[in-house]
Amino acid sequence: MRLLQNVSIALIFIIMSSVTGKAQDKKIAAQYFNSGFAIGHDTYNAISAASNGKIYYVLSSQSIDTGGMMYAFDPGTGKIEFCGDITGACGEKGTRSISQGKSHVRFVESAGKLYFATHAGFYSLVDGMEKMGIPPEGYKPYPGGHFLSYDLKSGKFENLGIAPHNEGILTMNMDTARGMIYAITWPTGYFITYDLKTKQVKDLGPVSGEGENGAGAAFRTLCRAIAINPLNGNAYLTNSEGAILRYTPGSDKLVKIEEDMKKDYFGLYDPSSPGHMGYNWRQINWSPLDQSFYGVHGNSGYLFRFNPATEMITVLDRITSKASKESGMFDQFSYGYLGFILGPDKRTLYYLTGAPVYDHGKRLKGKDRTAMGEAKGLEDLHLITYDIKSNTYTDNGAIFYPDGQRPLYVNSIAVGKDGTVYTLARVTEKGATRTDLVRIPHKLIKK
C-alpha cells in the first residue's frame, strides 16, 4: 500500500511538472471537504474564523429556488455542521422570490454573534455582464439583500434589516464599538448604513456613477471592501476613478479625501470599461500594530499601507506570486483576489493569489478581455505571506489537491488560531464540480 501511495505521489509530481514545464520549487498539499451542497458555486469572501475556533462559511448558489447555505467547520474534530439556509433566515423560504443566493461579505464577530449580509446569486447575462436576475413567470423579483446575525451559542439567526431598491449587499463591514454596519449594494452601488440600536437602514445614495447597473459611460465597477478605523469609527471606500471616500459617523454623507488610489504602479484603467476593478482597492485590513490599514490593489497585486491619521498611502511591495513577478504579467482573475487578511499574530498578512501556468516552457495565455469578474485562463494558486514588522515577503508555494487538481476561483480566506489557512474553491469529484471548503496547512512562525 505504501509503495502504491509513493507511486501515486510521484505520478502527480510528474503531471504537474509536465504542465508547468518545470518542477515547482515549493508545493503545498491542500485538503478539500464535502459539505453536502452539490450545487455550491463560486463564493467571494463569506468565510471567517470565530473566537470559538470554528470556521464559518457560506456556499453560494445560482439557483432561483435554492439559496446559499451556511456551515461551521470544527478544526479539532474535522466535522462540518450545517447552520442554516440563508433564504430561510431572511424569512423568504417558499415565497417564490429570487433566492438569497449567497453572502458576498466576511463575517464580523461582536458580543457572541456573527454579523453578515446576503446577496443575489441568480443573474441575467446582458452584453456579457451579470445583471440582476429577471424572474421567469411565476416568480417574484429579488427582494433585496438582508443584514443577518448568527448567535454562536444558540445557533439562531436574526433578520436585522433589508437593503433598499431591491438590491443585493455586495460589500459590508461593521464598527463593533459603535454598533454601526456599513454596506454597498449591487448593482447600482448605494452606500447604506444600519444602526443596531435604532434598527434603521439609511440610504446615502450611489458611490460611483450608476455602478455595475450602468451602461456605456455610466458603468463603474464597485468597491468590494470598506475599511473602518476602530479608533474613531470613520469608514473608507474607493471608486473606480481612484477617489477615496470617507464617512464620518453621524455625518450622513461621504467626503472625498485628498489622497487617491490613482497610482502609476497600479496601471492605467478606463473606469467606464467593465472587466476590471479600475483604481479600487480590492481588499483592505486594519492593523492594530501600527494603527494603519493594509490593502491590495487587485489587478496589479501591489500592497500598500493607508494611514488614517494622515490619510496618506505608502506603496510597499508587489505581493503577487514569485512566478507572476518573473513573468511581469497580470494574473488571470480579472478583478484580482479577495483572499487577503491579517493573521492572528497581528503582523502576518496572508494572500491567496494566482500564478502563470506553463506548458512545455510557454506561458498559457487566457482571454485578452472580459466584461465581468472571472478567470481569463487557467492559473496556479499560491499562498503569499508578508510580515509587516520586517517587511518580509514569502511565496510559500503552489497549492494542489492530493489528486493533482488546482483549487480554482479562489476569492476568500480565513486563518485559524494556529495559522492554518482556509478558503472556498472549486473541487471536481466523480465528474461533478462544486465549490467547497479547502484547508491549506500553514503554521504560525514565532517571532
Side-chain angles (χ1 to χ4, degrees):
M1 179 63 74
R2 183 171 294 177
L3 177 61
L4 289 174
Q5 287 176 339
N6 290 340
V7 170
S8 298
I9 292 169
L11 285 172
I12 291 168
F13 178 79
I14 291 169
I15 291 168
M16 290 189 297
S17 298
S18 65
V19 173
T20 60
K22 57 184 178 180
Q24 296 289 325
D25 292 332
K26 300 177 185 177
K27 295 182 294 297
I28 304 172
Q31 178 185 9
Y32 60 79
F33 296 84
N34 191 339
S35 303
F37 192 46
I39 64 170
H41 196 253
D42 302 329
T43 299
Y44 299 81
N45 285 319
I47 186 169
S48 296
S51 60
N52 60 9
K54 294 182 180 180
I55 308 299
Y56 291 84
Y57 59 100
V58 174
L59 295 179
S60 298
S61 164
Q62 289 185 306
S63 169
I64 191 171
D65 292 306
T66 304
M69 302 292 171
M70 180 173 164
Y71 301 86
F73 174 75
D74 187 334
T77 64
K79 293 182 178 179
I80 294 172
E81 172 191 357
F82 175 64
C83 298
D85 175 343
I86 63 173
T87 302
C90 294
E92 294 169 1
K93 192 80 170 175
T95 62
R96 293 189 70 79
S97 298
I98 291 175
S99 66
Q100 301 291 339
K102 59 185 176 182
S103 176
H104 201 287
V105 305
R106 289 176 178 169
F107 297 93
V108 181
E109 184 173 345
S110 179
K113 294 182 179 181
L114 298 178
Y115 292 86
F116 65 111
T118 65
H119 189 18
F122 176 80
Y123 301 122
S124 294
L125 208 60
V126 179
D127 296 329
M129 293 184 285
E130 290 178 333
K131 301 291 184 179
M132 186 62 77
I134 300 170
E137 186 177 352
Y139 286 87
K140 301 173 187 175
Y142 181 67
H146 289 248
F147 294 114
L148 296 175
S149 69
Y150 176 81
D151 191 294
L152 290 171
K153 285 188 176 180
S154 69
K156 292 183 178 179
F157 291 93
E158 183 180 359
N159 180 15
L160 303 173
I162 189 169
H165 311 294
N166 298 92
E167 299 222 342
I169 298 175
L170 177 72
T171 310
M172 189 208 92
N173 202 352
M174 180 177 172
D175 179 358
T176 57
R178 296 159 189 83
M180 292 295 299
I181 295 176
Y182 302 110
I184 301 169
T185 68
W186 185 91
T188 307
Y190 296 96
F191 181 74
I192 60 175
T193 68
Y194 179 82
D195 188 329
L196 264 68
K197 294 177 182 176
T198 65
K199 299 185 178 180
Q200 288 186 332
V201 174
K202 286 188 178 181
D203 173 13
L204 276 65
V207 298
S208 188
E210 295 178 16
E212 293 173 34
N213 201 38
F219 177 88
R220 296 290 186 275
T221 308
L222 297 168
C223 180
R224 264 62 175 178
I226 297 172
I228 296 176
N229 182 351
L231 303 179
N232 57 18
N234 284 348
Y236 296 89
L237 59 121
T238 57
N239 63 29
S240 56
E241 285 99 338
I244 301 174
L245 308 175
R246 183 209 314 124
Y247 174 80
T248 301
S251 64
D252 286 344
K253 64 179 180 179
L254 289 164
V255 175
K256 180 180 175 181
I257 69 172
E258 185 175 348
E259 178 64 285
D260 61 48
M261 285 283 292
K262 201 170 184 179
K263 310 298 180 189
D264 291 344
Y265 278 25
F266 296 167
L268 298 174
Y269 305 93
D270 174 4
S272 65
S273 173
H276 57 76
M277 287 296 294
Y279 297 100
N280 279 299
W281 57 48
R282 180 62 168 158
Q283 188 63 275
I284 194 161
N285 298 276
W286 171 257
S287 166
L289 191 69
D290 54 5
Q291 298 182 347
S292 294
F293 297 104
Y294 285 83
V296 64
H297 177 258
N299 290 108
S300 66
Y302 267 101
L303 173 71
F304 62 89
R305 180 174 59 244
F306 174 51
N307 184 341
T310 60
E311 294 190 330
M312 294 295 294
I313 283 175
T314 302
V315 178
L316 300 173
D317 197 355
R318 192 173 181 220
I319 58 167
T320 54
S321 66
K322 183 174 181 288
S324 292
K325 287 183 176 184
E326 290 173 350
S327 76
M329 304 300 290
F330 284 169
D331 293 330
Q332 293 296 319
F333 199 83
S334 57
Y335 282 179
Y337 309 90
L338 287 167
F340 172 76
I341 198 169
L342 183 65
D345 64 355
K346 305 304 180 187
R347 63 180 288 173
T348 305
L349 293 165
Y350 293 75
Y351 188 41
L352 291 172
T353 186
V357 173
Y358 290 86
D359 184 8
H360 299 96
K362 293 187 177 181
R363 183 176 61 86
L364 297 183
K365 298 177 75 173
K367 300 178 185 178
D368 290 328
R369 293 179 60 84
T370 180
M372 57 191 289
E374 64 174 344
K376 293 186 284 185
L378 185 66
E379 62 181 355
D380 282 338
L381 177 70
H382 279 235
L383 171 62
I384 308 299
T385 51
Y386 187 92
D387 186 330
I388 61 177
K389 285 193 76 172
S390 63
N391 295 319
T392 303
Y393 159 98
T394 304
D395 185 339
N396 295 276
I399 300 164
F400 294 91
Y401 299 143
D403 58 7
Q405 289 185 67
R406 294 175 170 87
L408 301 176
Y409 272 77
V410 176
N411 265 288
S412 57
I413 192 168
V415 180
K417 293 178 179 179
D418 62 351
T420 301
V421 176
Y422 299 87
T423 190
L424 303 166
R426 288 185 184 179
V427 173
T428 299
E429 272 189 313
K430 299 178 180 178
T433 300
R434 68 181 189 276
T435 291
D436 220 320
L437 179 69
V438 175
R439 178 165 62 185
I440 303 165
H442 185 81
K443 294 294 182 184
L444 285 176
I445 299 172
K446 295 180 180 180
K447 301 165 184 173

